[in-house]
Amino acid sequence: MILTVTLNTALDITYRVRSLRPHASHRVSEVTERPGGKGVNVARVLAALGHEVTVTGFTGGATGRVVQERLTAVPGVVDALVPITGTTRRTIAVVDERTGDTTQLNEPGPTVLPAEWSAFQEAYEDLLPSASAVALCGSLPPGVPVGAYAGLIRTARSFSVPVLLDTSGEPLRRGVAARPDIIKPNAGELAELTGSHEPLRATQDARRRGAGAVVASLGPAGLLAVTREGRWQAAPPASFRGNPTGAGDSAVAGLLSALVEHHPWPTRLTRATALAAATVNAPTAGEFDRGLYEELLTRVTVSGEVSAA
């Protein structure tokens, strides 16, 4: 079982409009709702790849009930969300059908009380003995300590469970110091962490700060990885226009699925890059174009070198 942690779960709502124009009224052509938050998106993709996944984090209020109802319809995903008194947030994506661009609006999330945070930590520790890997994903809701991910990483390490961390800002900075097995920042998050805008230098610096491996998302250019075993860059054969929301989450799913299947780094990066590109081509986050994904598995290019023993 792969465990994904989403402390700031959401109900993802996507509106499609013919053309998005400021200061104008719009007729919505299609509305979709999905359980969301980065770790939930990761779980959905992992399940589609055939893995058993357990989702934990927080859920509350009417929105939280909708999230849980929708999760029950996802084959292969087990709901282990922890209830809170606050109301789960919503995220709104507006897709411009003319350009393919997406405008995203993210609510901050409910305040988590100290007793609720303690209850989550107990539930998390109970789940770890059955986990083959853990993904810690997304922002922290109000009330959760800024060092939360660092503590969760140390707990997972005490159970010898590999951890992938995908967050930003101070939670990422503190989390890296707890020595996660993998971090997956995008270029902006990596620059904020290290102060460097040169991808290779920044990725190497992030690894020196404590991460076992750093896999940086470079947008249409693919992924750059610096690991104990070597360094590689993976690139799709072309840029794909569409909704980029969830592409990074699909990359995380690709990395985790290949990790638990014991594939080498080039295979992990090929899978992650193909999934990310296939997600851009899909209409909503947490989904991917399976036909395109399977095609890209043979077309993603990976270059790099193995570290000397």
Side-chain angles (χ1 to χ4, degrees):
M1 176 269 285
I2 299 175
L3 178 63
T4 71
V5 176
T6 311
L7 297 178
N8 212 0
T9 53
L11 180 65
D12 289 343
I13 303 170
T14 302
Y15 295 131
R16 301 183 69 86
V17 299
R18 183 172 181 179
S19 176
L20 182 62
R21 291 165 290 127
H23 317 298
S25 297
H26 297 79
R27 186 176 297 277
V28 176
S29 60
E30 182 182 357
V31 181
T32 58
E33 292 185 347
R34 297 285 190 278
K38 294 179 70 64
V40 175
N41 292 336
V42 171
R44 190 183 294 111
V45 175
L46 283 168
L49 293 173
H51 289 273
E52 293 183 359
V53 193
T54 296
V55 172
T56 191
F58 295 112
T59 182
T63 308
R65 287 192 293 274
V66 174
V67 167
Q68 292 186 283
E69 288 169 4
R70 298 297 174 90
L71 275 178
T72 62
V74 183
V77 174
V78 174
D79 172 9
L81 294 168
V82 175
I84 59 173
T85 55
T87 299
T88 298
R89 68 189 177 125
R90 297 162 298 176
T91 68
I92 310 296
V94 183
V95 179
D96 185 320
E97 294 176 335
R98 179 177 57 85
T99 65
D101 293 334
T102 302
T103 299
Q104 191 81 16
L105 303 173
N106 297 328
E107 295 180 357
T111 297
V112 176
L113 302 177
E116 294 167 341
W117 173 237
S118 295
F120 169 79
Q121 290 175 285
E122 292 178 9
Y124 173 74
E125 189 165 334
D126 288 343
L127 290 165
L128 284 173
S130 301
S132 56
V134 176
L136 305 175
C137 302
S139 60
L140 300 179
V144 172
V146 71
Y149 283 137
L152 297 179
I153 290 166
R154 286 190 286 268
T155 301
R157 287 176 63 84
S158 73
F159 283 85
S160 300
V161 179
V163 182
L164 186 152
L165 176 63
D166 184 13
T167 188
S168 60
E170 190 62 21
L172 174 60
R173 189 180 307 278
R174 297 198 186 193
V176 168
R179 305 181 65 81
D181 296 87
I182 306 171
I183 63 170
K184 198 216 67 63
N186 61 33
E189 293 161 351
L190 189 61
E192 183 182 7
L193 174 66
T194 65
S196 174
H197 291 271
E198 199 288 308
L200 179 57
R201 180 180 303 168
T203 304
Q204 291 171 326
D205 181 32
R207 185 167 180 267
R208 284 192 292 269
R209 291 168 184 255
V214 180
V215 181
S217 294
L218 305 179
L223 299 172
L224 173 63
V226 175
T227 78
R228 296 183 183 92
E229 292 83 1
R231 76 171 186 241
W232 294 271
Q233 184 159 356
S239 296
F240 294 89
R241 193 168 183 82
N243 182 1
T245 305
D249 305 331
S250 291
V252 168
L255 293 170
L256 279 177
S257 64
L259 167 69
V260 300
E261 293 170 23
H262 308 292
H263 290 296
W265 272 105
T267 303
R268 299 182 200 182
L269 296 170
T270 296
R271 185 178 293 184
T273 302
L275 279 168
T279 296
V280 172
N281 212 51
T284 54
E287 297 182 356
F288 61 95
D289 183 325
R290 185 172 289 275
L292 179 60
Y293 163 63
E294 293 175 354
E295 174 192 342
L296 289 174
L297 285 174
T298 63
R299 298 180 62 202
V300 170
T301 59
V302 180
S303 59
E305 58 187 24
V306 176
S307 297

